[in-house]
Amino acid sequence: MAILTWDQSGQRYYETGVDRGVLYIPNGSGVYDDGVAWNGLVSVTETPSGAESNAQYADNIKYLNLLSAEDFGATLEAFTYPDEFNQFDGAVISSPGVIVGQQARKSFGLSYRTRIGNDVDGDSHGYKLHLIYGASASPSERAYQTINDSPEAITFSWEITTVPVAVTGLRPTSIITIDSTKVSPADLTALEDFLYGTAGTDPSLPTPDFVLTLFSGSQTVVTPTTPTFVPATGVITIPSVTGVRYRRADTNAVVTGTVTIGVAGATLVITAEPVDGTYVFAPLSDDDWSFTRNP
Amino acid sequence: MGQRQQLQTILVDILGSNNVYFQPPPSIQLNYPCIIYKRDDESNQFANNKRYAHKKKYLVTVIDSNPDSLIPDKVADLPLCAFDRFYTANNLNHDVYNLFF
């Protein structure tokens, strides 16, 4: 039997700070396939609500507590906001520099990072990534004041409400938090590549299902490579990518090496799929390509 | 031109002469009226876990033998400037201002 101890060296954890705010913009299908950096992020106050107990009585006793549904909201405070946020704040940019207010509001995604510190590593012990889905911003006050004898920039503040999104096997949720001290560094890097983008990919906010799959340790994220094509000869060169299998769409046959479109002007579609359940394609990655030989 | 040099230029314009001294050593011979200014403090605002915006605070002292000098008022009209105190020494009037620049 172990004896409990408190506040051991290296176990005096705390959380602090907020940075790396990213605003994710959904496309027409609701996929958060683009992200922009949020500069000047001052604070994010998470305000979950609900789960209120509703006592039920029977047989002259308190029989049970029914809990109301949980909701997630937040208050975001920043010195500034990206131009792309206007559309989520009820504003439309009719032409560059001209912003029309009181327009329809859209929902957006958000991520930010907070630090985990301890008595040994200080503030750099680790961090948490917070992913917010289905967020909507409410109008808020903007108190512009005269410049006086004390320099002070105004901070903007937005009340954020959320609509939970579906998660396989769990209740719908609006927030996922990733603790860097407890997950695989490789998986974390893979997620951050999505969240913050890479040299060849835009930032994006993966779905909760994808995030959970990524950290389940059972699947490896792969990105299919686009086959190369010579339109004059009709030769398609199929790349070799671990975890990816290519097929020709007309016969569904697996293809490797090169495939030639024999008839001038003909079109062939090549598709890609994970070879088995241990691989999953990165969100937003292209998995079918159409090639047409020159007439 | 650095920010401090910009302030120097503004103060020279206000004074109408080059008798503007930044943190002068005790050995320097001051010519009056003059403006002496020195670094005093800094105002910082933080975002994204680091300093996001800042302004340096200067202590600006206008020294003039004329008690009705208009130079202090011109300094006071600068943005982010606040009067701190007034005193006389050696028959010279000293107006001290806190200025963020």
Side-chain angles (χ1 to χ4, degrees), chain A residues 20 111-114 127-131 176-180 188 191-192 195-196 215:
Chain A
R20 290 198 179 181
S111 79
Y112 50 93
R113 184 180 75 162
T114 55
Y127 55 87
K128 285 184 177 179
L129 298 174
H130 305 252
L131 317 180
I176 294 179
T177 306
I178 310 296
D179 186 336
S180 75
L188 188 64
L191 176 64
E192 288 181 324
L195 295 178
Y196 306 135
F215 289 99

Side-chain angles (χ1 to χ4, degrees), chain B residues 31-50:
Chain B
N31 296 312
Y32 303 106
C34 73
I35 295 177
I36 297 173
Y37 67 110
K38 65 176 184 178
R39 285 281 307 279
D40 186 52
D41 199 355
E42 194 162 289
S43 170
N44 293 313
Q45 291 188 288
F46 294 86
N48 282 330
N49 293 343
K50 60 190 175 200

Side-chain angles (χ1 to χ4, degrees), chain A residues 226-238 257-266 268 270 290-295:
Chain A
T226 304
T228 56
F229 178 56
V230 182
T233 61
V235 174
I236 304 168
T237 302
I238 307 296
T258 59
V259 178
T260 303
I261 303 174
V263 180
L268 179 62
I270 301 293
S290 177
F291 302 105
T292 302
R293 182 174 176 172
N294 285 349

Side-chain angles (χ1 to χ4, degrees), chain B residues 66-81:
Chain B
N66 178 9
D68 301 318
S69 171
L70 297 178
I71 299 169
D73 291 337
K74 292 178 181 175
V75 171
D77 284 342
L78 290 172
L80 299 174
C81 186

Side-chain angles (χ1 to χ4, degrees), chain A residues 174-188:
Chain A
S174 300
I175 181 163
I176 294 179
T177 306
I178 310 296
D179 186 336
S180 75
T181 64
K182 295 183 170 62
V183 299
S184 148
D187 293 341
L188 188 64

